[in-house]
Amino acid sequence: MVYFPSLGSYNDRDGINVEAFISLAPCRRETVFFTMAEPFIKVENLFYSYEVPSMEPIPALVDISLRIMPGEFLAIVGHNGSGKSTLAKCISGLLTPTQGQVSVLGLNTRQPANQRQIRAAVGLVLQNPDNQFVAAVVEEEVAFGAENLGIPQDSLRRRVDQALLDTGLQQERYANPHNLSAGLKSRLAIAGILAIAPQCLILDESTALLDPLSRASLLLMLHELHRSGLAIVTITHYMDEVIDTDRVIVLDAGKLVIEGSPRQVFQQEARLREIGLDLPPVGQIARGLRTRGLDIGYPLTVEELIQAHQEHKYD
Amino acid sequence: MASLEGLRHVSIGQYLPTGSFVHRLDARLKLAACVALLAALLLARGYLVNIALLIAIIGLVTAARLPLSYLLASLKPALPFIVILTVMQLLFYGRGTGGSAVWVEWGSLVISAEGVQLVVVSLIRFIGLLLCVSLLTNTTTSSALTHGVEWWLRPLTAIGLPGHELALVLAIALRFLPILGEELEAIGQAQASRTITTGTVSRWHFMAGARRIANLIVPLFVSTLRRADELALAMQARCYQGGKGRTQLNPSNWRTADTFAALVAVAVLAVVIILRHFPIP
Amino acid sequence: MIDAVVRIQHLAHTYLAGTPLAAQALIDASLTVLHGSVTAVVGPNGAGKSTLLHFINALVRPASDDQVQVLGLDTHTPSLDIGVLRRRVGLVMQYPQQQLFERFVGDDIAFGPRQEGLQGEALRKRVFEAMEVVGLNPLTFIDRHTFSLSGGEMRRVALAGVLAMQPELLILDEVTTGLDPRGRKQVHELLRNLRDRGITVVFASNDMDEVLEIADHMAVLYQGRTVAEDIPTVLFNSMQSGQWGLLPPAAMRIRQGLVQAGIPLPPGISSLSGLEEALWQVWRD
Ligand SMILES: Nc1ncnc2c1ncn2[C@@H]1O[C@H](COP(=O)(O)OP(=O)(O)OP(=O)(O)O)[C@@H](O)[C@H]1O
Ligand SMILES: Nc1ncnc2c1ncn2[C@@H]1O[C@H](COP(=O)(O)OP(=O)(O)OP(=O)(O)O)[C@@H](O)[C@H]1O
Ligand SMILES: [Mg+2]
Ligand SMILES: [Mg+2]
């Protein structure tokens, strides 16, 4: 019933100081363009089609090329069925490309011998938290991935405790995963991946089933993990979760159609609307004001809106 | 139609942490003891030994702090079948090997003492079996169970067979019983929530029930396969690659209590085998 | 009150009661839903929202009478014909994949109408309408396998399957979760249309913006109890941020940020467009 409490002093559930993370903008930074470093994940001309018996194959990804740098925070957005989950499964090596190459840390995902290393490095939290539990006790469920990696018992215990704390599941430690509510199941799925301690964390709509406070604190935690050096890839339909990332890619019917910093992407309003996406709330207000003839630029956060206001005032 | 929640509730294959000493016993021992008890149940002859065994098993269930009613609840869905089978067996067993007393004779229907004994003993065996397996799964986590089975399969592994995989299949198969129950419940609920023609069920209760079950079977099959698929994917995503190099969050280690329990199990089995040679009712 | 479509009073529910796995999901839940309204049920994870909604569809039935009344029927009554109730009450479950059971999308959506005796062209029309209204192209999706769909597509199929039954009371458990922004707008639009046609909607949601936008009335569940019931704007204005695991909707948070920075905005703004209008007034002067 708790949220992600290890992140600050807000352990009391009611009446806490939430203002701190309401804007969800704890670490605004300039977009860094990684050109020198070796990419962490390299996707080259990736095609993926699902084979379905007695039907034409369904093309889910079409000619995607992409690099994800170590320590980068990447967001993937796109309409339903645009291929986001498929892309996530391809870059974590769960699906083998129909055509093209995906490599993680220089290891090709096609090679079965590389799989263990790849999956230890890239942790994917699947979209559907139901039906993916192996153990009959929450605690062992969290440990499953780390056990597979042969983590010695004492650090295993530490990791499990930390993951349970981070996802606010301490009280459910001995519960049966199948009997949890939907939101708690999705936290459990996250905890199981956190315990693997991957270098890159991919979350496929993991905030979707969380209550507002848990969602805010999960985002805070992601930024914290990011600051500690993890690469993070988040897939989401909530545009306000995208604002603070380093880079956004937009998929449309399996093709990568827009790529850039959140600011660059959200300036392509017409294009976004065409493919069924929208702006974050502040962006929507600004768009309205611009169409009324106010020149206030493209603010995305409350601070930027205030700044725009002040500049306007002193013009 | 009664609440569908019952369907989920298959206690066999479930795990219930009560922290009893049975839970703390080593999984290898529990597996072996379970097999020994099952063997004893199958080998035991006559009323007395069977009842003694059943009482012993119930004693273990109590020691594990598992409510008996909870374990027996699994019988509920199967109850009609059990009753029908029992009656049929009773009626059509006939005179058996002959020589035993005939209690009722009515045309070609004969109820003999031997027939009654067979029926009662099979019932005791069935309940004992259910309790034994439930006891094992309810006191052992799947990971411990897998390790336990794997340990016993070491000879197979030594000659190059995939011991861990076999063990995992077994553990998952055991665990799958409640999952099947859950799946049945989920599909039942999904259909129920959109089913609008239950009309006058009450009179044709039995037929309607049978039809309802039939409607569940195909979806159950499809969704169980899908579920297995998703589970495999989720396991792969968490680096599952067989048992090599796996560690355990809660490893079990063999203690004196385990040795003691092992001796008791062997003794029980031995006594039952010896008693086979004595004429006990 | 005559026109209460759903009336739940002091409802308690324990899962797996009588077994050691018993979990008390509801302790004292109440909910009143008026005819033709859109009512939201909100609360943190594990509060009991889904459990409460299952009661309205009589998937779970209360232990005594006078606890759950739906469309004037007491679901405790053992002789109640649930089929009649369910014909009028449609439920979309929280996990779409749990709700789909036919192999093909078309069959799944047709499951309800078929039982009403619909066939041939009429059935086809009903299914097509339902698909279009949730933004699924009938031609591409009708023959797809139900389980080879993306998360959002499954959600749409699940919703279409219930809409095709044309229920007069619609129960939606986080139905916009996993939908893209356009899909979410379509569903909001749809719910407003349904309400205008006199259909009552009850939905659970974690998206406060959505609640504010489409709900006439909301109830907050917290640890199995109904802790508040009111009009959304009133409730959001009186509640503390973070209370009950909830945060105010975006428009209210943005307004508060602006006011704190000294921008004079009138009180009572609860929508993005209202905020835009107010800012326009400020800036024009
Ligand atoms: N198991 C599958 N078999 C066949 N086709 C599939 C399967 N899973 C997805 N698809 C199809 O592949 C395409 C991409 O699906 P994907 O799940 O990657 O979409 P997505 O972007 O994650 O969508 P959402 O936002 O709804 O989760 C869709 O058209 C979908 O119908
Ligand atoms: N089938 C079940 N068996 C046992 N306990 C359950 C079951 N379903 C739910 N619970 C428990 O009941 C409580 C309420 O669950 P419910 O699913 O109603 O919550 P919810 O408000 O819908 O949460 P969420 O926002 O996560 O969907 C939770 O504590 C949960 O663990
Ligand atoms: Mg997806
Ligand atoms: Mg729920």
Side-chain angles (χ1 to χ4, degrees):
Chain A
M1 301 287 284
V2 205
Y3 33 104
F4 298 83
S6 72
L7 299 165
S9 54
Y10 38 90
N11 275 317
D12 182 17
R13 191 173 180 91
D14 294 323
I16 56 168
N17 176 19
V18 222
E19 315 310 330
F21 54 80
I22 278 181
S23 76
L24 306 179
C27 59
R28 167 109 353 78
R29 319 179 297 157
E30 286 314 306
T31 307
V32 191
F33 285 107
F34 306 86
T35 41
M36 311 298 287
E38 202 36 43
F40 183 74
I41 296 172
K42 205 154 82 181
V43 179
E44 278 166 344
N45 306 103
L46 165 66
F47 287 76
Y48 190 87
S49 302
Y50 286 98
E51 302 286 343
V52 186
S54 74
M55 270 182 70
E56 300 263 292
I58 299 166
L61 293 174
V62 181
D63 199 11
I64 305 254
S65 295
L66 173 72
R67 267 139 211 263
I68 301 175
M69 294 297 159
E72 190 180 10
F73 200 140
L74 177 77
I76 304 178
V77 298
H79 61 82
N80 289 136
S82 57
K84 304 180 294 298
S85 303
T86 311
L87 180 59
K89 286 176 190 161
C90 284
I91 57 185
S92 55
L94 286 178
L95 294 179
T96 316
T98 309
Q99 235 185 77
Q101 309 299 332
V102 176
S103 59
V104 176
L105 292 168
L107 304 165
N108 194 318
T109 57
R110 282 181 194 281
Q111 238 65 55
N114 292 338
Q115 279 178 1
R116 194 187 181 89
Q117 257 183 298
I118 290 175
R119 289 186 193 143
V122 183
L124 167 63
V125 183
L126 294 165
Q127 180 168 7
N128 169 17
D130 204 19
N131 296 357
Q132 56 164 284
F133 301 124
V134 189
V137 184
V138 164
E139 176 183 84
E140 295 207 349
E141 181 59 39
V142 176
F144 181 76
E147 285 178 341
N148 287 331
L149 291 174
I151 306 297
Q153 205 210 340
D154 49 342
S155 51
L156 198 57
R157 169 84 30 214
R158 223 173 316 120
R159 283 187 185 192
V160 169
D161 289 345
Q162 187 61 43
L164 286 173
L165 193 70
D166 284 345
T167 49
L169 284 173
Q170 307 100 309
Q171 282 176 12
E172 278 78 14
R173 179 185 279 268
Y174 300 112
N176 184 336
H178 292 285
N179 291 342
L180 296 179
S181 82
L184 299 180
K185 276 183 186 163
S186 75
R187 296 190 206 178
L188 177 54
I190 299 169
I193 298 295
L194 287 178
I196 295 178
Q199 290 162 265
C200 173
L201 188 59
I202 309 180
L203 298 120
D204 193 351
E205 297 189 32
S206 293
T207 58
L209 291 163
L210 301 184
D211 60 58
L213 204 54
S214 306
R215 182 160 89 95
S217 41
L218 173 63
L219 291 175
L220 257 195
M221 178 171 78
L222 290 186
H223 281 284
E224 196 134 300
L225 288 172
H226 176 227
R227 266 197 297 271
S228 72
L230 249 73
I232 303 216
V233 178
T234 116
I235 297 175
T236 184
H237 289 300
Y238 291 106
M239 296 304 147
D240 52 351
E241 291 177 10
V242 170
I243 303 172
D244 290 319
T245 58
D246 294 329
R247 193 155 60 106
V248 184
I249 64 174
V250 182
L251 297 185
D252 177 25
K255 298 193 198 68
L256 200 165
V257 289
I258 311 180
E259 181 175 4
S261 72
R263 265 130 254 287
Q264 293 166 337
V265 170
F266 285 128
Q267 285 182 20
Q268 309 201 23
E269 284 169 6
R271 191 75 193 284
L272 287 177
R273 183 159 344 154
E274 210 174 284
I275 54 184
L277 300 181
D278 210 339
L279 299 181
V282 173
Q284 290 178 33
I285 295 176
R287 179 180 56 200
L289 290 172
R290 276 196 309 274
T291 47
R292 288 172 189 245
L294 270 184
D295 174 27
I296 60 159
Y298 293 84
L300 292 176
T301 64
V302 179
E303 295 85 71
E304 287 167 353
L305 190 61
I306 294 170
Q307 205 182 345
H309 171 77
Q310 262 137 20
E311 277 160 17
H312 183 84
K313 210 156 64 178
Y314 301 118
D315 263 357
Chain B
M1 124 187 26
S3 161
L4 287 155
E5 197 179 313
L7 284 179
R8 163 196 291 263
H9 200 52
V10 182
S11 59
I12 181 169
Q14 204 79 259
Y15 174 72
L16 185 66
T18 61
S20 76
F21 90 91
V22 184
H23 285 76
R24 287 194 299 275
L25 288 176
D26 192 285
R28 292 166 285 187
L29 161 91
K30 278 188 272 188
L31 266 165
C34 182
V35 172
L37 271 176
L38 290 180
L41 269 172
L42 291 179
L43 292 175
R45 276 198 187 153
Y47 288 118
L48 219 61
V49 184
N50 270 298
I51 291 176
L53 275 176
L54 188 62
I55 290 175
I57 294 173
I58 292 176
L60 278 177
V61 168
T62 319
R65 287 191 238 142
L66 301 172
L68 196 60
S69 59
Y70 155 75
L71 295 189
L72 288 179
S74 301
L75 280 179
K76 223 161 125 195
L79 217 51
F81 298 99
I82 296 177
V83 170
I84 292 175
L85 276 180
T86 308
V87 172
M88 302 252 283
Q89 223 181 10
L90 204 58
L91 293 182
F92 300 115
Y93 180 75
R95 287 169 205 281
T97 51
S100 74
V102 172
W103 289 351
V104 179
E105 188 160 2
W106 190 56
S108 61
L109 293 180
V110 179
I111 297 180
S112 65
E114 202 181 308
V116 173
Q117 176 171 0
L118 182 90
V119 165
V120 174
V121 168
S122 333
L123 260 182
I124 294 180
R125 277 185 186 157
F126 186 70
I127 295 175
L129 198 123
L130 176 98
L131 288 181
C132 241
V133 179
S134 302
L135 187 63
L136 176 68
T137 64
N138 274 277
T139 58
T140 321
T141 67
S142 39
S143 126
L145 204 59
T146 313
H147 276 259
V149 178
E150 196 182 347
W151 189 85
W152 284 107
L153 293 182
R154 272 193 320 185
L156 292 186
T157 318
I159 59 166
L161 287 173
H164 178 83
E165 280 64 28
L166 283 174
L168 191 80
V169 167
L170 196 82
I172 288 191
L174 270 179
R175 287 278 175 248
F176 226 68
L177 288 169
I179 292 192
L180 274 182
E182 261 170 47
E183 201 60 41
L184 208 57
E185 180 196 7
I187 297 170
Q189 282 198 340
Q191 290 191 347
S193 74
R194 278 195 278 161
T195 294
I196 52 185
T197 48
T198 49
T200 50
V201 216
S202 45
R203 200 179 307 160
W204 298 103
H205 208 82
F206 188 75
M207 288 300 287
R211 209 177 45 230
R212 199 157 64 88
I213 299 284
N215 284 343
L216 290 178
I217 297 302
V218 175
L220 179 69
F221 198 67
V222 174
S223 82
T224 306
L225 284 182
R226 171 181 55 98
R227 193 161 174 152
D229 232 35
E230 278 181 19
L231 187 63
L233 198 70
M235 286 169 72
Q236 282 175 27
R238 282 182 288 159
C239 315
Y240 182 75
Q241 291 209 308
K244 237 170 65 201
R246 266 196 113 231
T247 47
Q248 261 185 295
L249 181 66
N250 300 312
S252 56
N253 27 31
W254 192 273
R255 291 164 310 158
T256 345
D258 295 302
T259 314
F260 182 70
L263 290 177
V264 173
V266 171
V268 168
L269 184 57
V271 168
V272 168
I273 292 177
I274 292 167
L275 285 180
R276 273 170 71 85
H277 303 293
F278 293 91
I280 296 179
Chain C
M1 260 186 289
I2 324 156
D3 52 354
V5 173
V6 177
R7 195 127 64 98
I8 296 179
Q9 285 168 319
H10 308 299
L11 179 63
H13 180 67
T14 306
Y15 278 104
L16 305 175
T19 78
L21 297 170
Q24 190 156 32
L26 294 177
I27 298 170
D28 182 4
S30 308
L31 180 72
T32 306
V33 178
L34 297 184
H35 179 81
S37 70
V38 178
T39 302
V41 178
V42 304
N45 295 139
K49 304 183 289 296
S50 303
T51 311
L52 187 69
L53 297 192
H54 284 191
F55 269 97
I56 306 181
N57 188 263
L59 274 182
V60 200
R61 296 169 75 171
S64 60
D65 24 286
D66 279 341
Q67 286 191 310
V68 180
Q69 270 152 6
V70 182
L71 299 166
L73 303 167
D74 190 321
T75 64
H76 172 68
T77 319
S79 62
L80 174 70
D81 187 342
I82 301 195
V84 171
L85 182 74
R86 292 205 179 115
R87 178 197 287 273
R88 301 167 64 191
V89 183
L91 166 71
V92 180
M93 298 184 188
Q94 186 160 16
Y95 285 118
Q97 61 275 19
Q98 219 170 55
Q99 187 176 341
L100 309 178
F101 47 82
E102 295 279 1
R103 273 188 58 191
F104 294 99
V105 169
D107 287 336
D108 202 276
I109 298 175
F111 180 84
R114 265 201 190 119
Q115 295 182 66
E116 275 177 47
L118 234 55
Q119 279 173 337
E121 197 48 43
L123 180 65
R124 195 182 153 79
K125 190 159 159 275
R126 182 78 76 81
V127 171
F128 270 48
E129 266 173 17
M131 291 181 80
E132 264 154 18
V133 107
V134 298
L136 284 173
N137 182 348
L139 296 177
T140 40
F141 280 100
I142 201 158
D143 287 329
R144 290 280 299 271
H145 286 267
T146 348
F147 298 114
S148 67
L149 297 173
S150 82
E153 289 162 353
M154 272 193 213
R155 172 81 62 191
R156 290 168 198 245
V157 175
L159 177 59
V162 171
L163 289 176
M165 295 173 64
Q166 305 188 332
E168 59 191 277
L169 170 58
L170 199 56
I171 317 287
L172 309 170
D173 199 349
E174 300 194 17
V175 74
T176 54
T177 304
L179 292 189
D180 54 33
R182 180 186 290 162
R184 228 174 304 158
K185 268 194 209 126
Q186 273 170 345
V187 171
H188 294 170
E189 191 64 26
L190 171 72
L191 295 186
R192 270 192 294 259
N193 283 341
L194 289 177
R195 178 189 46 195
D196 294 343
R197 299 204 323 244
I199 290 165
T200 312
V201 180
V202 182
F203 72 104
S205 180
N206 277 323
D207 183 345
M208 298 305 126
D209 296 296
E210 169 174 295
V211 171
L212 190 65
E213 178 157 345
I214 57 176
D216 308 317
H217 185 75
M218 76 188 261
V220 183
L221 268 187
Y222 183 64
Q223 300 187 342
R225 294 170 203 277
T226 304
V227 290
E229 247 191 295
D230 213 330
I231 298 168
T233 42
V234 175
L235 230 169
F236 282 127
N237 273 316
S238 65
M239 136 194 143
Q240 276 175 7
S241 180
Q243 196 179 7
W244 304 315
L246 306 177
L247 295 176
M252 290 191 173
R253 296 192 321 233
I254 296 171
R255 178 186 170 273
Q256 201 182 4
L258 294 176
V259 169
Q260 271 165 11
I263 303 175
L265 291 172
I269 296 174
S270 56
S271 67
L272 289 179
S273 50
L275 201 52
E276 179 197 317
E277 181 63 37
L279 274 173
W280 168 243
Q281 300 291 345
V282 171
W283 263 318
R284 223 180 23 184
D285 306 335

